[in-house]
């Protein structure tokens, strides 16, 4: 399977090298296209859509990846992904793998994750994707997350279902110590939060980790309990359900002062 590996931590990040190496070893045709520098927290932002804009792009070779082509683009991963899926860098990928991210992307905060934003952009382009995350350093276990990803990609290839869009979060333990895999929904609370405070001339951001208090059946709870969490993401699809609540639709009509056609 032809796989684009991207991330939001930069084209030479340890997590990207770990998952790309695992996919190459498994026999997949891998190409790396990732931001030239960290773009964490940019969600599905494209950066710029100005007509005639030029995005600086450089090609590299990383010793750990041998002859695998590596492209660094000065833009967020969502735009990088769209560029590759549109064929700007050769045949489009059959699957996009985004990560491995340092820091779990669980709960509703995935809205801000550019690791997840990359696979949502791929879905818009008609390509399936897997966003993969593990914990923050120094506990990050990229090796375990890479082994999990390689197996999920293999399953997708064998089941001929590359259109799937998945958010995968892996506990920071040895592969043999994983308790299993759970299909999960998004938690109301992620595994970390941001504490914002104002200083005299700046806004200070502090990260606060959280490992308990999650609702059973959610992604955060699964990871906290030692399970790999897999959540299916729909993204922004053309078949999004219209508003069918008659009372709500009528109130919206009244608020806008328009006539709604059935």
């Amino acid at each position: 399977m032809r796989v684009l590996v991207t991330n939001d931590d930069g084209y030479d990040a340890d997590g990207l090298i770990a998952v790309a190496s695992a996919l190459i070893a498994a026999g997949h045709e891998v190409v790396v296209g990732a931001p030239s520098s960290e773009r964490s927290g940019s969600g599905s932002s494209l950066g710029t859509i100005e007509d005639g804009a030029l995005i600086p792009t450089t090609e590299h070779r990383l010793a750990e990846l041998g002859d695998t082509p590596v492209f660094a683009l000065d833009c967020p991963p969502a735009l990088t992904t769209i560029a590759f899926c549109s064929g700007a860098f050769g045949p489009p990928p059959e699957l996009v793998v985004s990560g491995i991210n340092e820091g779990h992307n669980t709960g509703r905060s995935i809205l801000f994750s550019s690791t997840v934003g990359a696979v949502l952009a791929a879905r818009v382009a008609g390509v399936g994707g897997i966003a993969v995350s593990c914990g923050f350093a120094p506990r990050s276990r990229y090796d375990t997350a890479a082994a999990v990803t390689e197996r999920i990609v293999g399953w997708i290839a064998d089941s001929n279902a590359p259109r799937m869009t998945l958010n995968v979060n892996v506990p920071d333990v040895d592969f043999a110590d994983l308790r299993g895999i759970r299909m999960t929904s998004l938690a109301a609370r992620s595994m970390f939060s941001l504490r914002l405070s104002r200083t005299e001339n700046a806004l200070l951001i502090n990260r606060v980790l959280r490992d308990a208090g999650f609702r059973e059946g959610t992604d955060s709870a699964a990871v906290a309990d030692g399970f790999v969490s897999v959540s299916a993401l729909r993204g922004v699809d053309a078949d999004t359900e219209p508003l069918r609540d008659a009372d709500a639709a009528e109130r919206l009509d009244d608020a806008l002062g328009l006539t709604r056609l059935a």
Side-chain angles (χ1 to χ4, degrees):
M1 176 176 282
R2 181 172 170 82
V3 182
L4 166 66
V5 177
T6 189
N7 72 354
D8 64 2
D9 294 320
Y11 71 95
D12 57 353
D14 291 342
L16 182 147
I17 292 172
V19 74
S21 297
L23 294 174
I24 293 167
H28 297 286
E29 180 186 353
V30 173
V31 59
V32 173
S36 54
S37 59
E38 185 186 5
R39 296 285 184 145
S40 298
S42 61
S44 55
S45 168
L46 300 181
T48 181
I49 54 172
E50 289 299 315
D51 184 43
L54 294 172
I55 306 299
T57 303
T58 54
E59 186 171 356
H60 304 264
R61 288 293 186 271
L62 300 178
E64 300 91 338
L65 303 183
D67 292 332
T68 299
V70 177
F71 297 92
L73 288 74
D74 188 16
C75 63
L79 182 57
T80 300
T81 298
I82 289 175
F84 276 81
C85 290
S86 69
F89 291 84
E94 300 171 89
L95 184 72
V96 173
V97 172
S98 182
I100 300 166
N101 189 65
E102 180 189 339
H104 290 113
N105 279 306
T106 63
R108 296 172 184 172
S109 65
I110 67 167
L111 172 67
F112 311 112
S113 166
S114 36
T115 300
V116 175
V119 296
L120 294 179
R123 187 179 183 94
V124 171
V127 178
I130 306 172
V132 188
S133 305
C134 62
F136 290 107
R139 296 186 297 175
S140 309
R141 288 298 301 269
Y142 296 127
D143 56 338
T144 300
V148 168
T149 306
E150 183 270 315
R151 286 162 173 78
I152 293 176
V153 171
W155 170 75
I156 289 176
D158 292 342
S159 62
N160 196 29
R163 183 66 168 79
M164 300 178 70
T165 304
L166 304 175
N167 186 37
V168 177
N169 284 275
V170 183
D172 295 305
V173 298
D174 290 342
F175 184 85
D177 292 333
L178 292 171
R179 297 183 62 192
I181 189 168
R182 285 180 173 173
M183 303 301 295
T184 60
S185 59
L186 298 180
R189 309 172 77 190
S190 69
M191 301 193 75
F192 70 92
S193 61
L194 298 180
R195 181 177 297 143
L196 307 178
S197 57
R198 183 179 176 184
T199 67
E200 183 176 356
N201 298 307
L203 179 68
L204 175 63
I205 299 177
N206 291 113
R207 194 165 56 217
V208 181
L209 301 183
R210 183 186 294 130
D211 60 8
F214 309 119
R215 183 169 58 84
E216 187 67 24
T218 63
D219 50 3
S220 295
V223 176
D225 289 342
F227 291 86
V228 175
S229 165
V230 178
S231 303
L233 304 178
R234 289 193 60 187
V236 182
D237 289 336
D239 60 353
T240 299
E241 283 293 314
L243 181 62
R244 298 193 182 280
D245 185 310
D247 290 338
E250 185 175 349
R251 290 195 299 273
L252 184 57
D253 289 342
D254 293 341
L256 294 177
L258 300 175
T259 300
R260 177 169 55 94
L261 299 179

